[in-house]
Amino acid sequence: AGRPEYYEVADPLLLRSMIALDRPAQHWIIKLLGWPKRIGQASIVLDPSFMAANWTRDQISAGVMTRSGFRPVINAIDGVRLRMTNDKLFQEWVANGGGMSSLYLDEPAFRSKLERFYTKQGIDYRTVIDSPKKFLNLIETIGDFAESATRIGEFKRSLEQGDHPRHAAYKSKEVSVDFSQAGDSPAVRALYDTIVFLRAAVVSWDRLYRGVKHDPNNGLIAAKAGMIGLASAGLYLMNRGDPRYDDMP
């Protein structure tokens, strides 16, 4: 099997990140408690109206967070085309980790999808480091077409600007909510696995904070986010007290 090799990692945060890649198996209690969450969340995200609303939200988010000049709708439609045709650029995006960020990703199931992909490329899957595993089912894959389109569009724009594929895939995950983020706290992961949409709520606020605080174009992100916030507040004030508005979900 070969001789083990050991490396000293001087950066504590990097060490925690590397250890977190190998997620331990869930306790049977967490698996049991997670079933209501999975069923409840699936009943929402697989609704066509939710898919349409989520796609629209992604366009707004990507327009704010992009570092590669993503053009809402235009690049997303191109992303759908690349996804549906299984284009080489889509395959490159998956190979560099971009496909692990989707809302429709089910961690206990993504491995076999990656295994088939790497086998076709002539790569020994045992040498590939992965933590998420495969999509829940065919219906979720259909939903993923719309979910991944925005990220593929950002990936393509980033490559066109000369970025390395791995960095381009990372930027594509950052353009919207990266649902593969889970942290290294067992308690937080347990909450993510048992509470509907908790991960989405936490990660989306984290992404906005990092965008405004740390991104190279943080000033532009803050300005765009502020404009959307003002528009939302104005819309609320205009419709406040209207029963039709109050009855909207």
Side-chain angles (χ1 to χ4, degrees):
R3 295 175 59 186
E5 295 185 19
Y6 300 92
Y7 299 88
E8 181 178 355
V9 180
D11 187 337
L13 183 59
L14 175 60
L15 178 61
R16 285 174 57 190
S17 301
M18 294 175 67
I19 294 174
L21 287 172
D22 185 18
R23 181 174 182 178
Q26 289 178 321
H27 192 279
W28 69 267
I29 295 179
I30 299 299
K31 289 183 179 180
L32 182 64
L33 294 175
W35 269 106
K37 176 255 185 179
R38 294 185 64 192
I39 295 172
Q41 188 163 301
S43 67
I44 297 171
V45 302
L46 298 180
D47 186 313
S49 62
F50 176 89
M51 292 181 184
N54 189 54
W55 186 84
T56 303
R57 181 198 61 80
D58 265 2
Q59 302 314 297
I60 298 172
S61 173
V64 172
M65 295 296 179
T66 181
R67 282 185 270 170
S68 304
F70 178 86
R71 296 168 295 181
V73 181
I74 296 173
N75 291 133
I77 292 175
D78 190 33
V80 171
R81 176 187 63 82
L82 297 171
R83 175 71 172 84
M84 293 183 67
T85 58
N86 199 32
D87 189 87
K88 276 192 74 172
L89 189 141
F90 164 70
Q91 296 180 23
E92 188 174 20
W93 177 70
V94 172
N96 284 280
M100 296 180 180
S101 56
S102 173
L103 170 63
Y104 294 87
L105 180 71
D106 183 68
E107 291 191 8
F110 195 59
R111 184 184 303 273
S112 62
K113 181 182 177 72
L114 287 179
E115 186 169 0
R116 290 194 303 271
F117 172 80
Y118 282 110
T119 300
K120 288 180 180 179
Q121 306 301 314
I123 300 173
D124 185 352
Y125 180 69
R126 292 171 297 179
T127 66
V128 179
I129 298 175
D130 70 285
S131 51
K133 300 163 187 177
K134 137 178 153 182
F135 295 117
L136 181 62
N137 54 36
L138 179 60
I139 300 177
E140 287 185 331
T141 302
I142 294 173
D144 180 65
F145 274 48
E147 174 77 14
S148 60
T150 304
R151 296 175 173 88
I152 298 171
E154 173 77 1
F155 178 71
K156 183 178 179 181
R157 292 282 295 180
S158 184
L159 288 180
E160 290 171 348
Q161 295 181 6
D163 286 330
H164 188 280
R166 279 195 293 274
H167 186 56
Y170 168 74
K171 288 169 67 176
S172 77
K173 296 168 70 174
E174 288 282 272
V175 83
S176 186
V177 179
D178 181 0
F179 293 95
S180 67
Q181 290 185 341
D184 64 346
S185 167
V188 172
R189 290 192 177 204
L191 292 173
Y192 283 166
D193 290 337
T194 54
I195 301 177
V196 175
F197 291 121
L198 176 63
R199 187 196 306 239
V202 173
V203 173
S204 59
W205 279 108
D206 169 74
R207 180 64 191 103
L208 178 60
Y209 170 78
R210 289 188 292 107
V212 172
K213 185 74 174 176
H214 300 296
D215 278 20
N217 59 335
N218 58 350
L220 186 59
I221 290 175
K224 291 178 181 178
M227 290 175 62
I228 293 173
L230 288 173
S232 300
L235 184 64
Y236 167 74
L237 292 174
M238 287 175 57
N239 294 279
R240 184 175 55 179
D242 187 331
R244 296 171 299 176
Y245 184 80
D246 293 337
D247 289 341
M248 294 177 65

